[in-house]
Amino acid sequence: MTASIPSHLSSSHIPIVLTIAGSDSGGGAGIQADIKAISATGSFACSVITAITSQNTQGVNAIFPIPLDHVESQLDAVFSDLNVVAVKVGMLADASIIRVVANKLRQYTPKYLVIDPVMVATSGDLLLEQSAISTLKQELIPLANIITPNLPEGAALTGLPVPKTEAEMNAMISSLQALDAQAVLLKGGHLQDSENSNDLLIMPDSCELITAPRFPTNNTHGTGCTLSSAIASYLAQGHSMQSAVHLAKAYITQAIAHADELNVGHGHGPVHHFFANAHVGKNNDEC
């Protein structure tokens, strides 16, 4: 998307990133994970909440979509006052909310748009109505600088089977390119038998394999939210798409590597967003 900042807004010393997503009452995913990731990677986070979930590390118990007029008023409040450089879009529970968000993004035209097409939680719970997928593809994805589907989400967007191998991931490339986003990051984290965590950065005329070590942990709640928010944060700071994706991949890799230090909940616990500061001051004597 192209930049269009209201004339009365002055430039900000810290890049501002807006997350448009659902709230996770357990604090590991959604708006809560987004704000943590954006903050940890050096940007200022603001938010528009699209749904309230009753959720913890073991699953999603209920979803309450925010009334459309309030989603719209949140968006107007943020964009009319803050110099939003990048937007990350996460959970949009139904077609009506997708249309409202798409219309407002066309109105305010932030410089960068990152879409995490949230459809399935780590627990396996469906977070997007099937009927809304076509609306997402028609209304929102063509506006995106990058979308970040995992393998089940890539399958839902393309109509292809969920890839079970890296060869099947590669077979999905052309169908993902046809979605009309400027770039696609197809995340291969679901290939549990792979030694590494391999993603594909798919551009209109190229494809790059991005790899990182895989860490054996059940604490992966919010990984997709965290990665997409970090990409938006780095884009807002002026990094190129390739650089932003590589930096975000390095960040989420370390957040997963340190996840077991948190010991939160009894199911799929969260990643450690603030791993870089976790041990600061622990060994210092008190003043």
Side-chain angles (χ1 to χ4, degrees):
M1 303 184 75
T2 56
S4 178
I5 300 169
S7 58
H8 68 280
L9 297 180
S10 60
S11 61
S12 174
H13 292 293
I14 184 171
I16 297 175
V17 179
L18 168 63
T19 167
I20 305 172
S23 171
D24 172 8
S25 53
I31 286 283
Q32 288 82 353
D34 295 345
I35 291 173
K36 292 172 188 176
I38 293 165
S39 301
T41 54
S43 300
F44 179 85
C46 55
S47 64
V48 167
I49 297 177
T50 60
I52 299 170
T53 68
S54 300
Q55 184 177 173
N56 55 30
T57 64
Q58 300 181 77
V60 180
N61 299 320
I63 299 173
F64 175 73
I66 299 298
L68 297 180
D69 59 346
H70 194 60
V71 173
E72 191 170 22
S73 69
Q74 290 179 80
L75 288 161
D76 287 332
V78 171
F79 278 113
S80 64
D81 182 50
L82 305 184
N83 180 6
V84 175
V85 181
V87 174
K88 173 265 171 82
V89 174
M91 178 186 175
L92 302 175
D94 56 43
S96 297
I97 291 180
I98 291 171
R99 292 190 187 98
V100 166
V101 170
N103 287 336
K104 284 299 175 181
L105 290 173
R106 292 189 191 98
Q107 176 182 345
Y108 291 110
T109 59
K111 187 173 184 179
Y112 299 108
L113 176 59
V114 179
I115 297 178
D116 182 20
V118 178
M119 299 175 187
V120 184
T122 302
S123 58
D125 295 285
L126 186 67
L127 297 178
L128 181 66
E129 297 175 357
Q130 291 286 353
S131 60
I133 294 176
S134 61
T135 306
L136 180 72
K137 292 168 65 174
Q138 294 168 9
E139 297 283 339
L140 203 53
I141 286 178
L143 304 177
N145 296 92
I146 186 170
I147 63 173
T148 61
N150 59 29
L151 298 184
E153 290 159 354
L157 288 170
T158 62
L160 296 172
V162 178
K164 298 293 195 298
T165 65
E166 290 183 16
E168 291 177 357
M169 278 183 68
N170 288 320
M172 191 175 274
I173 291 173
S174 60
S175 295
L176 289 170
Q177 287 173 323
L179 293 174
D180 291 333
Q182 293 180 27
V184 179
L185 183 66
L186 180 61
K187 300 174 296 187
H190 282 74
L191 297 182
Q192 297 292 339
D193 293 335
S194 296
E195 180 180 353
N196 294 318
S197 175
N198 294 330
D199 303 336
L200 294 176
L201 177 57
I202 304 166
M203 308 291 279
D205 301 313
S206 65
C207 182
E208 179 185 358
L209 175 67
I210 301 176
T211 188
R214 182 183 295 273
F215 295 94
T217 177
N218 287 324
N219 297 321
T220 56
H221 187 48
T223 50
C225 305
T226 298
L227 176 62
S228 56
S229 295
I231 292 172
S233 179
Y234 288 125
L235 286 172
Q237 293 168 27
H239 291 276
S240 68
M241 180 61 69
Q242 287 85 350
S243 174
V245 170
H246 279 271
L247 287 168
K249 177 71 168 178
Y251 169 72
I252 188 59
T253 298
Q254 288 303 307
I256 294 171
H258 292 273
D260 288 354
E261 298 173 10
L262 295 180
N263 192 26
V264 173
H266 296 88
H268 291 283
V271 301
H272 196 334
H273 294 91
F274 298 104
F275 62 86
N277 305 111
H279 304 290
V280 174
K282 281 192 173 182
N283 297 322
N284 292 342
D285 293 333
E286 293 185 2
C287 297

